[in-house]
Amino acid sequence: MSGSNRVQDGKVVLVHYRLTLDGVDEVVDSTEGDEPMAYLHGADNIVPGLERALEGLGIGETIAVTLEPGDAYGEREPDAIQEIPHDAFPDDLEIEVGMQLTAEDEDGELTPLYVRAIAEDHVVVDTNHPLAGETLRYEVTIVDIRDATESEVEHGHAHGGDGHDHHD
Ligand code: ZN
């Protein structure tokens, strides 16, 4: 373990961020007025271009980066929309527009699905992330950097600011 406290693989990084679409002044997502977001660096918790941009930064540093879709949520695939009958979903699942679901195929491969619309006899889902095809602008401030706990490394994600968040 090196003595320097810089953003690198195996660190949990706490950030405040503001996400806008390039050229549009509307905030898509932000931690403003909220707790900073904690993520595990080097574990694909955040989009690849942002992870690269944050590498090596120290506490208190702020950056602004513009990311092409290939460095963010990917290009929008036109054939990614599917209609799925309601009875293909678990009975106790309350489906809402905008929610993210995960589909699992026979090989155990997981695919995220985003609910686009709900019709009487089916649900319209899209495998494109809602921000696919968009050029994104992130403004990020590094709030804190700490070593990941063993269970965070095992799970591949951060367990909150102090590493003790419980989850399923
Ligand atoms: Zn976990």
Side-chain angles (χ1 to χ4, degrees), residues 151 155 157-159 167:
S151 85
H155 291 192
H157 56 228
H159 292 158
H167 67 89

Side-chain angles (χ1 to χ4, degrees), residues 97-114:
V97 172
M99 86 190 282
Q100 183 189 333
L101 306 167
T102 305
E104 185 173 1
D105 70 13
E106 310 88 69
D107 304 324
E109 183 104 359
L110 301 176
T111 306
L113 300 174
Y114 301 89

Side-chain angles (χ1 to χ4, degrees), residues 112-147:
L113 300 174
Y114 301 89
V115 176
R116 291 275 295 261
I118 300 169
E120 194 156 333
D121 58 346
H122 64 262
V123 176
V124 180
V125 299
D126 187 348
T127 56
N128 285 304
H129 188 277
L131 293 172
E134 303 283 0
T135 296
L136 306 180
R137 183 178 167 80
Y138 281 96
E139 290 165 43
V140 182
T141 300
I142 308 293
V143 176
D144 201 7
I145 302 168
R146 62 169 171 80
D147 292 333

Side-chain angles (χ1 to χ4, degrees), residues 22-96:
D22 188 43
V24 185
D25 208 18
E26 189 190 332
V27 177
V28 176
D29 196 8
S30 163
T31 55
E32 203 176 341
D34 214 337
E35 296 287 308
M37 176 191 76
Y39 80 93
L40 175 61
H41 195 82
D44 294 329
N45 292 176
I46 59 174
V47 297
L50 186 59
E51 193 157 61
R52 278 199 304 275
L54 298 178
E55 179 90 29
L57 294 184
I59 294 168
E61 286 193 78
T62 295
I63 57 157
V65 284
T66 300
L67 303 178
E68 298 295 327
D71 288 325
Y73 290 102
E75 300 293 345
R76 180 163 285 280
E77 300 291 337
D79 301 332
I81 293 180
Q82 300 168 38
E83 295 181 356
I84 298 179
H86 282 293
D87 59 17
F89 295 95
D91 283 342
D92 57 353
L93 181 66
E94 199 145 329
I95 297 169
E96 289 171 34

